[in-house]
Amino acid sequence: MSDSIAELTTRIRSFVDAREWQQFHNPKDMAVAIAAEAGELLQHFVWQQPDQVEKRTDERRDEIASEIADVGILLFEMADLLGMNLGEVMERKIARNEERYPADKARGNNLKYNEL
Amino acid sequence: MSDSIAELTTRIRSFVDAREWQQFHNPKDMAVAIAAEAGELLQHFVWQQPDQVEKRTDERRDEIASEIADVGILLFEMADLLGMNLGEVMERKIARNEERYPADKARGNNLKYNEL
Amino acid sequence: MSDSIAELTTRIRSFVDAREWQQFHNPKDMAVAIAAEAGELLQHFVWQQPDQVEKRTDERRDEIASEIADVGILLFEMADLLGMNLGEVMERKIARNEERYPADKARGNNLKYNEL
Amino acid sequence: MSDSIAELTTRIRSFVDAREWQQFHNPKDMAVAIAAEAGELLQHFVWQQPDQVEKRTDERRDEIASEIADVGILLFEMADLLGMNLGEVMERKIARNEERYPADKARGNNLKYNEL
C-alpha cells in the first residue's frame, strides 16, 4: 500500500499508457471528468439533512470511497499531465491559505478570506 | 516538499483544527466544497475548442494549479475525516479498473467497461 | 416580460446566432457550461450552515438570480439545439416523478423512488 | 403541453407540496441538487471527442432529455422558492449579455466579455 503521490501517479500513468488513453486525456477532458466524478460524490448527499449525513455516510461507505478514489485518480493524473508536482502545489496552496486565514481571525467562523 | 499523502493530510488537519473548522467540515459539506472547486477548475475550459486547450492551459497555469490544489486539499481532508486511507482506496480502485478495463480490450477506445 | 419558454428560447437563439457562436455550442460544450454555471450557483452556499442559508440568500440575491439565469439560458438553448421542446420534456418527467413518488409513500421523507 | 414557465412552476410546486418536501428544499439543498443533476448531464459526454458527440447525443437522447428535464424542474422550483420570476431574471441577464458582448466585437470568437 502506497502513501507516495509519485508512486501512485506512476501507476496511474502506466494504466493510462497501456490503454493508449493519452489521446483522450487532454486538460479539458480531465477537468470535465473530475467535475463529473465530483458530481457523483455529491449525489450521495443530495437532500440529506444534517442529522442524516452520518448514517448516509456509514451506509454508503464503499460507494463514497470509490467516488473519492475516482476524483483522486483523475486529479493525480491531471497534475502529472500538466507537469505539476501535486504535493508541491498543495503545499503552496496550504501556505497561502495559512496567510489568508490567520488562525486568530478565522477561528470558529466560515467567512471567506476577503470578508475576515 | 512532501510526496507523502499522510504528511500532507496531517498538515491539512492541523490547519483545519487550528481554525476550529471541523464543525463545518461534515461529509456533505466536504462533497459540496469539492464539487464547487471542481466547477472552478472546469470554468477555465468552458467553450475552449480542442485547438485552444493547450494555449489556455499555458496562460492560466497558476490559476489551474491553484484549483487542482483546492480539490486535492479537500479530497485529502474528506478521506481523513471518513477514516479512509486515500492511498489505499485509490490503489483498490486502480486494481478494480485494471480488471474492468483489460488493456487488450480497452486499448485505443473510450468505451465504458460495460460496453467493452 | 415573457413567461413563454418558446419566446425566451427564440431570443437566446438570436443572441447566439448574431455572434456566430453556434460553432462553439455543441451538446458537449453546452453540458460543460451548464455544469460550470451550476458550480457557480453552488459556490454561494459552500460551508453555509442551515441557520445561515436564509441570510446568505438575502445578501446575495442578485448574484444568485444571475447564476440561476445563466443556468436557465444555457438549458433553454441546449434543449433547442437538440430539437427538444423543454416544456414537454419537463412535463413528461414530472409525470414520471408522480408515478415514481406516490404522494402517500413519499410524503415527508427524502427517500429515492427505489427505496420507497 | 405547456410553454408557460408559470404553469410548469405551479405544477412543480403542487408536486413538492403534496409530498411535504418543502422542508428539504431550502436554497442550499436546491443548489446542491442542481449541481448534482448538471453532473449527471455532463456524465454523458465524459471523454467524448468532438467527432463522437453527435452520435452520443443521438444514442442517449432520452437519458439526456431526462437530465435536462431534471435540471429544469429544480431550477424552476428554486426561482419560485426565492420569489424570483425566472422569465424576468433570464430576460434581464440576456439584456446584460447583449451589452457585455456587442455582436460586432464578439462575433466568431469565444472570448469572455472582459477580454473583448
Side-chain angles (χ1 to χ4, degrees):
Chain A
M1 198 207 66
S2 180
D3 177 56
S4 156
I5 296 176
E7 275 180 34
L8 283 162
T9 301
T10 301
R11 191 158 165 201
I12 295 165
R13 197 193 302 151
S14 303
F15 175 83
V16 172
D17 287 354
R19 282 149 192 83
E20 296 175 9
W21 282 354
Q22 313 93 323
Q23 59 186 306
F24 309 118
H25 290 205
N26 59 76
K28 178 177 174 178
D29 278 309
M30 295 304 300
V32 168
I34 289 169
E37 293 298 337
E40 289 198 16
L41 178 58
L42 186 60
Q43 199 76 43
H44 293 287
F45 299 101
V46 170
W47 306 129
Q48 294 295 294
Q49 299 306 294
D51 62 355
Q52 300 179 302
V53 170
E54 197 184 332
K55 187 160 169 273
R56 167 58 54 108
T57 310
D58 286 346
E59 287 172 350
R60 304 215 176 160
R61 190 169 177 79
D62 290 347
E63 293 97 313
I64 290 168
S66 179
E67 310 297 2
I68 288 175
D70 282 335
V71 177
I73 291 168
L74 291 163
L75 197 75
F76 282 37
E77 188 193 342
M78 185 171 185
D80 182 48
L81 184 76
L82 299 182
M84 292 172 185
N85 183 308
L86 181 61
E88 194 182 320
V89 297
M90 285 174 63
E91 283 201 323
R92 217 180 302 142
K93 189 65 185 260
I94 295 168
R96 198 172 158 205
N97 285 340
E98 284 168 343
E99 279 173 41
R100 278 176 163 180
Y101 295 95
D104 59 324
K105 283 195 183 173
R107 187 169 297 123
N109 66 60
N110 56 4
L111 297 173
K112 260 216 131 172
Y113 63 89
N114 51 17
E115 303 166 329
L116 286 179
Chain B
M1 195 209 67
S2 180
D3 177 55
S4 155
I5 295 176
E7 276 180 32
L8 284 162
T9 301
T10 300
R11 189 157 167 202
I12 295 165
R13 197 193 303 150
S14 303
F15 174 81
V16 172
D17 287 354
R19 282 151 192 82
E20 297 174 10
W21 283 354
Q22 312 96 320
Q23 60 186 306
F24 309 118
H25 290 204
N26 59 77
K28 179 178 173 177
D29 278 309
M30 296 303 300
V32 168
I34 289 169
E37 292 299 336
E40 289 198 17
L41 178 57
L42 187 60
Q43 199 76 46
H44 293 287
F45 299 102
V46 171
W47 308 127
Q48 294 295 295
Q49 300 306 293
D51 63 354
Q52 299 179 302
V53 171
E54 197 184 332
K55 185 160 170 272
R56 168 58 54 107
T57 310
D58 285 345
E59 285 171 351
R60 303 216 179 160
R61 192 172 176 78
D62 289 348
E63 293 98 312
I64 290 168
S66 178
E67 310 296 3
I68 288 174
D70 283 334
V71 177
I73 290 167
L74 291 162
L75 197 74
F76 282 37
E77 187 192 344
M78 184 171 187
D80 182 47
L81 184 75
L82 300 181
M84 293 172 186
N85 183 308
L86 182 62
E88 195 183 320
V89 298
M90 285 175 63
E91 283 199 323
R92 217 181 301 143
K93 189 64 185 263
I94 295 168
R96 198 172 159 206
N97 285 340
E98 285 167 341
E99 280 172 39
R100 279 177 162 179
Y101 295 94
D104 59 325
K105 283 195 183 174
R107 187 168 298 122
N109 66 61
N110 56 4
L111 297 172
K112 258 216 132 172
Y113 62 91
N114 51 17
E115 304 166 328
L116 286 179
Chain C
M1 195 208 68
S2 179
D3 177 56
S4 156
I5 296 176
E7 275 181 32
L8 284 161
T9 301
T10 301
R11 189 156 167 201
I12 295 165
R13 196 192 304 149
S14 304
F15 174 82
V16 172
D17 287 354
R19 282 149 193 83
E20 296 174 11
W21 282 353
Q22 313 96 318
Q23 59 186 306
F24 309 118
H25 290 205
N26 59 77
K28 178 178 174 177
D29 278 309
M30 296 304 299
V32 167
I34 289 169
E37 292 299 336
E40 289 198 18
L41 178 58
L42 187 60
Q43 199 75 46
H44 293 288
F45 299 101
V46 170
W47 307 128
Q48 294 295 295
Q49 300 306 295
D51 62 354
Q52 299 179 302
V53 170
E54 197 183 332
K55 186 160 170 271
R56 168 59 52 109
T57 310
D58 285 347
E59 286 171 351
R60 303 215 178 160
R61 192 170 176 79
D62 290 348
E63 293 98 312
I64 290 168
S66 178
E67 311 296 3
I68 288 174
D70 282 335
V71 177
I73 291 167
L74 291 162
L75 197 75
F76 281 37
E77 187 192 343
M78 184 172 186
D80 182 48
L81 184 75
L82 300 181
M84 293 172 185
N85 183 308
L86 181 61
E88 195 183 320
V89 298
M90 285 176 64
E91 283 200 323
R92 218 181 300 143
K93 190 64 185 263
I94 295 168
R96 197 173 160 205
N97 286 340
E98 284 167 343
E99 281 173 38
R100 279 177 162 179
Y101 295 94
D104 59 325
K105 284 196 182 171
R107 188 169 298 122
N109 66 61
N110 56 4
L111 297 172
K112 259 217 131 171
Y113 62 91
N114 51 16
E115 304 166 327
L116 286 179
Chain D
M1 198 207 66
S2 180
D3 177 57
S4 155
I5 296 176
E7 275 180 34
L8 284 162
T9 301
T10 300
R11 191 159 165 200
I12 295 165
R13 197 194 302 150
S14 303
F15 175 83
V16 171
D17 286 355
R19 282 148 192 84
E20 296 175 11
W21 282 354
Q22 314 91 324
Q23 59 186 305
F24 309 118
H25 291 204
N26 59 76
K28 178 178 174 179
D29 278 308
M30 295 305 299
V32 168
I34 289 168
E37 293 298 336
E40 289 198 16
L41 178 58
L42 187 59
Q43 200 76 43
H44 293 287
F45 299 101
V46 170
W47 306 129
Q48 294 294 295
Q49 300 306 295
D51 62 354
Q52 299 179 301
V53 170
E54 197 184 331
K55 187 161 169 273
R56 168 59 53 108
T57 310
D58 285 347
E59 286 171 351
R60 304 213 176 163
R61 191 169 175 80
D62 289 348
E63 294 98 312
I64 290 168
S66 179
E67 310 297 3
I68 288 175
D70 282 335
V71 178
I73 291 167
L74 291 163
L75 197 74
F76 281 38
E77 188 193 343
M78 185 171 185
D80 182 48
L81 185 74
L82 300 182
M84 292 173 185
N85 183 309
L86 181 61
E88 194 183 320
V89 296
M90 284 175 63
E91 284 201 321
R92 218 181 301 143
K93 189 65 185 261
I94 295 167
R96 199 171 158 206
N97 286 339
E98 284 168 342
E99 279 173 41
R100 279 177 162 179
Y101 295 95
D104 59 325
K105 282 195 183 173
R107 188 169 296 124
N109 66 59
N110 57 4
L111 297 173
K112 259 216 131 171
Y113 63 89
N114 52 16
E115 303 167 328
L116 286 179

